[in-house]
Amino acid sequence: MLLAYVDESYTDRWYWIGALLVPDTVAIPLSTALDEVVLDAAKTYGVTAEAELHGYDLFQGRVPWNKLPPRARIAVYNAALKAIGTHDVTIILRGVDRHGLARRYASPKPAHEVVLSHLLEQVDGYAAMREELALVIADEVDNPATHRSDLSRYRIDGTGGYRSRRLTRIVDTLHFAPSHASRLVQAVDLVTFLFRRMECGTVFDRREAAANEGLWSWVEPRRYHSWCWSPTARQMHEGPA
């Protein structure tokens, strides 16, 4: 069984969702390794042992990491990504240009719905290739019932779009978990946030760009698929995305 942990990261223009696919036998060792990253930070820097690992909070120095200097926060991020990258996990990332959606469609679907459908296609395809089943566990979002209903529809009618796929390898329903209760939800947050930050081209400081590349190098070998859809303008009467 693959446990697919899912989280999003976005700007006004770009919307990305990442999946961290964790074999069931790896879930506990990886969770323990991430616990140890925080315990080390607690001993070294005085944060609480319950501190959450979130990309935005570590980059921006938000609570509970607000008392740490940038170099220390980068060290914590580095340790967490090293833990992720040294375990047998797989990373899938999908994105969309929200401005492109607005140009192409008069009434586009929400970016989260569009990208999640693309992501689930890839998760399902990867699970089929591995002859595995996948259970999807996502960070809490608005309207979870809508996303569960969408998954049920994708099983019957397919995901729609250019590469529609009937989802046959994703079991049960979509499960939503608060990030504070799951180190693995936090793990996919770290991965997705950093990837989105690197891909969006908004980092102009060479030192930060180099630091980002160093951090990402731990998980790059685990990246199976990443792609961002940039819709081009077409007739506005075509309907929803």
Side-chain angles (χ1 to χ4, degrees):
M1 174 75 74
L2 295 171
L3 305 176
Y5 292 89
V6 172
D7 197 17
E8 72 276 358
S9 183
Y10 53 86
T11 64
D12 288 342
R13 178 166 185 179
W14 305 104
Y15 202 105
W16 283 88
I17 304 180
L20 185 71
L21 278 63
V22 182
D24 53 5
T25 56
V26 174
I28 291 177
L30 178 52
S31 295
T32 300
L34 293 171
D35 280 338
E36 291 172 353
V37 168
V38 179
L39 287 173
D40 286 345
K43 294 174 184 177
T44 306
Y45 306 115
V47 299
T48 68
E50 293 76 31
E52 293 185 48
L53 295 164
H54 287 294
Y56 181 81
D57 294 345
L58 281 166
F59 259 78
Q60 301 299 329
R62 299 297 180 92
V63 175
W65 308 100
N66 55 312
K67 295 183 180 179
L68 277 64
R71 186 179 297 274
R73 288 185 271 114
I74 291 172
V76 174
Y77 213 132
N78 186 76
L81 289 181
K82 181 179 179 180
I84 295 167
T86 53
H87 284 78
D88 180 22
V89 300
T90 300
I91 294 169
I92 296 175
L93 300 130
R94 294 292 297 221
V96 72
D97 177 356
R98 302 167 95 174
H99 293 182
L101 277 179
R103 288 193 302 268
R104 180 164 179 170
Y105 300 104
S107 300
K109 293 179 181 177
H112 187 279
E113 182 178 340
V114 172
V115 181
L116 183 59
S117 69
H118 296 170
L119 184 81
L120 293 177
E121 289 172 357
Q122 292 296 323
V123 170
D124 191 81
Y126 180 81
M129 180 186 69
R130 291 277 300 265
E131 297 185 346
E132 294 266 17
L133 297 175
L135 182 72
V136 179
I137 304 158
D139 193 8
E140 292 180 316
V141 296
D142 295 332
N143 303 317
T146 298
H147 299 306
R148 291 185 176 116
S149 177
D150 288 342
L151 175 59
S152 296
R153 188 175 74 253
Y154 299 155
R155 287 196 176 105
I156 298 170
D157 300 326
T159 52
Y162 178 65
R163 294 185 176 179
S164 181
R165 179 185 180 92
R166 287 182 61 246
L167 305 185
T168 62
R169 309 301 297 184
I170 296 177
V171 301
D172 200 30
T173 186
L174 296 182
H175 295 265
F176 295 92
S179 63
H180 67 79
S182 172
R183 287 293 184 206
L184 299 184
V185 170
Q186 294 169 36
V188 71
D189 175 284
L190 294 172
V191 169
T192 307
F193 175 85
L194 180 60
F195 185 82
R196 190 272 302 162
R197 192 171 178 86
M198 295 173 65
E199 285 293 299
C200 286
T202 56
V203 177
F204 303 106
D205 185 280
R206 291 182 180 179
R207 290 172 300 177
E208 181 181 343
N212 290 349
E213 291 173 5
L215 292 171
W216 184 257
S217 66
W218 287 113
V219 295
E220 170 59 25
R222 300 298 182 181
R223 177 166 55 131
Y224 169 74
H225 171 87
S226 61
W227 188 71
C228 183
W229 181 34
S230 297
T232 55
R234 295 179 63 179
Q235 301 96 313
M236 297 299 288
H237 63 271
E238 285 194 8

